């Protein structure tokens, strides 16, 4: 067992920023807008670093796909305790159409190349809310998956994952190597400390191109239009329950 | 490991599909997207931006939610400060060999500016604590550094800076507290006033007279709590330039948010030209202040000959301008600005003192004019 964990971290628009749609309706404004690590990716990094601190794994490798700025996100992961980083360079049109399919192909290739025993990802990104990358990565690798994890524990050559599902909590035990995706309550990510931020500067970030991994970035999706959510319409007050049922029937809601 | 306030995290993540604003607007201004012209990250290195981010996050999560309570109940937030120390904020510009973070004055300014958006008075204390740790680190001998600095950097022990006396404030060199050497110890006689953290802290860095009159007769002694004869008076009821910056930054955000929300005369205040112009002036003065502080910090770090004057200029300009910014922000809130539910009034109260402490702004003028008039 290599004892190596791959953690995917995505650079997204910061959760506190007010999103604005571009005038050409092709996407949202990203220029000059504050970006940070996807919060669920932070939770993934924290879990990996915790496993290393418990000496259950040996090395945490942080991966991010994107242009030059993706390195900032990797540095944040390094400052939290990841050992080294891999920046998969994706720019221009390729970056605009980069989605779960392409990223999962990249992660699967890297997981094999790095001989990872675990791939830990955030359950979804807060910009596209796809919730697909972890699942696709596992499928491409033909590895078991424990998604929406609220608890992860290593038990020999298996991983026990408590999953948050609609009906409550489900516990699964899956063989290593495996893919785990982090949900909100898995842990509380640590602040990077000043000494760790400075140590992170010395940690290595390798540069890789998708072509080097044999990955085809062509998108199978075309974004036709991006619109703001419709303005909230005024509601209507009614006097009785009968009126309510009548109105609901009238407007075709029931 | 520092814990993030659970409610804030659940609130912001559980609605990741629709980005609803669940944070209280009046309390957490710094979580809004910052307009690029007043962005405090402007001009910083990647590393400094990382430091700043940690400090802003810590301020928003660990300090801002408690700022009002600490003020009202006059709490010295030991646990929170120790968590800050775990991140390296206990001895930011102290050498790493005794537990410090070994950063520059500019890095330090950036950090304190960010922390004070969470609570000005706590950050002001942290900056004083850092200064005491630095003094011992820089001017102490090997034994003293090893004895005091590690505990101060981790905030296992807290420090206070003791210069001012009931009879000597601006005229610091006239202090009367005396220290007489008697064999292997000193006997100190006197009293100090306006000591931040006094009574709560463990290590007192005391300026006292060991020689003749004037500044040359003054030495610095470290006195520990529990030393026989050391007693504390009553806690005074009350109200540094990077801390002022943070407060002003927070207040500009609060004012902007309020103008966009509050309506009078049929439209939001943000449509009122006077208020637009006022906000522009506030933002301009904020950026000017920030540049001056950072320039002074760099001069200090590099030991430039103009460092003292530049720092005095920064202190003078920044504390005055930032107080005006916070005051204006309060005015823009109208009656609401006066309510303790709104953070803006606490910022105004907390930074008013910065025009007085660490050398009054009048003393700053003395230093600057003396420098100008004695230079050839």
């Amino acid at each position: 067992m290599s004892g190596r964990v791959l953690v995917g971290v995505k650079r997204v628009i910061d959760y506190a920023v007010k999103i604005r749609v571009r005038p050409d309706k092709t996407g949202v404004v990203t220029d000059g807008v504050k970006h940070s690590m996807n919060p669920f990716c932070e939770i993934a990094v924290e879990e990996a670093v915790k496993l290393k601190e418990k000496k259950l794994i040996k090395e945490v490798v942080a991966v991010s796909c994107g242009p030059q700025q993706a390195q900032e996100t990797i540095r944040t992961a390094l400052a939290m305790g990841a050992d080294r980083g891999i920046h998969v360079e994706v720019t221009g049109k390729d970056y605009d159409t980069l989605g779960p399919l392409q990223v999962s192909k990249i992660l699967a290739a890297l997981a094999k190349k790095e001989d990872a025993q675990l791939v830990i990802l955030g359950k979804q990104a807060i910009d596209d809310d796809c919730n697909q990358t972890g699942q696709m990565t596992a499928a491409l690798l033909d590895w078991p998956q424990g998604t929406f994890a609220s608890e992860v524990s290593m038990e020999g050559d298996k991983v026990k994952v408590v999953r948050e599902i609609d009906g409550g909590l489900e516990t699964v035990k899956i063989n290593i190597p495996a893919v785990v995706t982090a949900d909100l309550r898995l842990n509380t990510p640590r602040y990077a400390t000043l000494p760790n931020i400075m140590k992170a500067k010395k940690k290595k970030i390798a540069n890789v191109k998708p072509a080097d991994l044999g990955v085809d970035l062509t998108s199978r999706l075309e974004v036709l239009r991006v619109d703001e959510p419709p303005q909230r319409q005024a509601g209507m007050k009614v006097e009785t329950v009968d009126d309510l049922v009548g109105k609901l029937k009238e407007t075709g809601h029931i | 490991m520092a814990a993030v306030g659970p409610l804030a995290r659940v609130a912001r993540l559980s609605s990741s599909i629709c980005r609803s604003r669940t944070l209280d607007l009046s309390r957490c201004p710094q979580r809004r997207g910052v307009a690029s012209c007043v962005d405090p990250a402007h001009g910083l290195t990647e590393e400094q931006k990382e430091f700043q981010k940690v400090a802003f996050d810590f301020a928003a999560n660990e300090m801002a939610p408690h700022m009002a309570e600490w003020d009202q109940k006059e709490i010295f937030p030991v646990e929170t400060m120790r968590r800050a120390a775990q991140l390296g904020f206990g001895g930011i510009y102290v050498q790493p060999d005794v537990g410090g973070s070994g950063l520059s004055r500019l890095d330090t300014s950036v950090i304190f500016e960010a922390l004070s958006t969470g609570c000005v008075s706590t950050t002001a204390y942290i900056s004083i604590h850092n200064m005491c740790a630095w003094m011992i680190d820089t001017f102490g001998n090997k034994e003293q550094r090893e004895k005091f600095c590690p505990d101060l950097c981790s905030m296992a022990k807290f420090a206070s800076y003791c210069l001012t006396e009931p009879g000597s404030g601006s005229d610091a060199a006239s202090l009367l507290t005396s220290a007489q050497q008697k064999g292997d110890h000193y006997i100190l006689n006197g009293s100090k006033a306006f000591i931040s953290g006094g009574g709560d802290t463990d290590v007192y860095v005391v300026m006292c007279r060991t020689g003749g009159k004037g500044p040359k007769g003054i030495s610095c002694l470290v006195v520990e709590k529990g030393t026989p004869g050391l007693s504390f008076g009553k806690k005074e009821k009350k109200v540094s330039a990077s801390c002022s910056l943070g407060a002003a930054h927070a207040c500009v955000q609060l004012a902007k948010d309020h103008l966009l929300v509050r309506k009078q005369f049929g439209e939001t205040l943000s449509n009122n030209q006077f208020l637009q112009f006022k906000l522009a002036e506030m933002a301009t003065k904020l950026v000017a202040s920030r540049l001056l502080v950072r320039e002074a910090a760099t001069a200090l770090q590099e030991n430039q000959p103009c460092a003292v004057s530049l720092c005095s200029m920064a202190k003078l300009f920044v504390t005055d301008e930032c107080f005006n910014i916070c005051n204006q922000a309060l005015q823009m809130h109208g009656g609401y600005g006066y309510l303790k539910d709104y953070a803006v009034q606490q910022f105004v109260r907390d930074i008013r003192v910065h025009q007085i402490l660490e050398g009054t702004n009048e003393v700053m003028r003395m230093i600057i004019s003396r420098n100008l008039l004695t230079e050839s």
Side-chain angles (χ1 to χ4, degrees), chain B residues 64 80 84 129 143 147 153 162 164 178 189 196 213 215 252 254 276 278 354 373:
Chain B
T80 305
H129 174 92
E143 272 176 73
K147 178 174 180 191
C153 290
C162 309
T164 300
S178 64
N189 264 304
S196 299
K213 276 191 173 170
V252 166
L254 287 170
Q276 291 168 352
K278 209 68 224 173
H354 295 175
L373 294 171

Side-chain angles (χ1 to χ4, degrees), chain A residues 12-19 32 34-37 39-40 42-43 46 50 72-73 75-76 79 123-127 129 184-185 187-195 197-198 201, chain B residues 1-5 9-10 12-14 16-19 21 23 30-34 36 46-47 49-51 53-54 57-59 61-62 86-89 92 100-103 111:
Chain A
V12 298
I13 295 179
D14 188 83
Y15 78 87
V17 168
K18 187 173 160 126
I19 307 293
K34 180 160 186 245
H35 283 65
S36 41
M37 188 191 291
F40 294 106
E42 280 179 4
I43 297 176
E46 175 65 25
K50 268 184 144 130
E72 289 165 18
T73 314
R75 286 260 169 247
T76 306
K123 73 170 180 184
Q124 67 196 58
I126 61 172
D127 50 9
D129 284 326
L184 182 62
R185 279 161 278 272
N187 61 48
T188 305
R190 64 195 60 197
Y191 294 108
T193 65
L194 298 184
I197 292 172
M198 299 203 297
K201 256 192 355 185
Chain B
M1 179 185 87
V4 174
R9 249 207 122 73
V10 173
R12 75 189 203 203
L13 288 182
S14 61
S16 70
I17 296 201
C18 52
R19 290 164 179 271
R21 313 251 187 119
L23 292 177
Q30 61 276 13
R31 292 320 252 167
R32 296 286 156 264
V34 177
S36 58
E46 281 312 316
E47 207 183 39
K49 285 184 193 172
E50 284 284 336
F51 300 147
K53 179 178 184 309
V54 178
D57 285 347
F58 188 85
N61 296 320
E62 309 287 328
Q86 271 172 20
L87 303 184
F89 295 156
I92 301 175
S101 303
L103 299 184
I111 291 168

Side-chain angles (χ1 to χ4, degrees), chain A residues 16-159:
Chain A
V17 168
K18 187 173 160 126
I19 307 293
R20 279 175 310 158
V21 174
R22 281 212 288 265
D24 62 6
K25 305 266 181 203
T26 56
V28 299
V29 177
T30 52
D31 276 342
V33 169
K34 180 160 186 245
H35 283 65
S36 41
M37 188 191 291
N38 182 39
F40 294 106
C41 297
E42 280 179 4
I43 297 176
V45 173
E46 175 65 25
E47 197 60 23
V49 174
K50 268 184 144 130
L51 288 174
K52 192 176 84 158
E53 283 170 349
K54 287 189 208 157
K55 303 224 194 303
L56 294 168
I57 56 138
K58 295 206 199 85
E59 195 188 23
V60 178
V61 182
V63 181
S64 195
C65 306
Q68 186 64 16
Q69 295 94 316
Q71 295 203 7
E72 289 165 18
T73 314
I74 299 175
R75 286 260 169 247
T76 306
L78 295 175
M80 284 173 70
D83 298 293
R84 59 183 167 89
I86 300 176
H87 171 210
V88 182
E89 226 180 290
V90 180
T91 52
K93 272 241 119 310
D94 283 337
Y95 183 59
D96 292 337
T97 55
L98 191 68
L101 180 59
Q102 293 78 16
V103 174
S104 56
K105 285 180 185 172
I106 292 171
L107 290 176
L110 282 173
K112 283 204 208 111
K113 185 162 178 269
E114 296 286 335
D115 191 26
Q117 72 181 62
L118 261 188
V119 174
I120 309 183
L121 307 174
K123 73 170 180 184
Q124 67 196 58
I126 61 172
D127 50 9
D128 53 24
D129 284 326
C130 284
N131 196 319
Q132 297 167 4
T133 307
Q135 292 86 338
M136 282 177 167
T137 307
L140 287 169
L141 287 164
D142 196 25
W143 284 6
Q145 58 186 260
T147 53
F148 307 102
S150 66
E151 228 183 279
V152 171
S153 43
M154 311 274 284
E155 297 190 359
D157 61 347
K158 298 199 203 295
V159 186

Side-chain angles (χ1 to χ4, degrees), chain B residues 175-235:
Chain B
L175 64 82
L176 294 175
T177 299
S178 64
Q180 284 175 316
Q181 194 171 7
K182 294 242 190 262
D184 70 344
H185 59 276
Y186 281 90
I187 307 262
L188 272 72
N189 264 304
S191 58
K192 295 294 183 185
F194 295 117
I195 305 307
S196 299
D200 289 317
T201 52
D202 316 284
V203 174
Y204 294 85
V205 176
V206 182
M207 287 352 107
C208 44
R209 194 167 298 287
T210 48
K213 276 191 173 170
K216 292 234 187 287
I218 297 174
S219 302
C220 178
L221 267 69
V222 177
V223 180
E224 294 184 79
K225 194 177 194 182
T227 301
L230 177 63
S231 65
F232 303 98
K234 79 177 212 308
K235 197 195 276 196

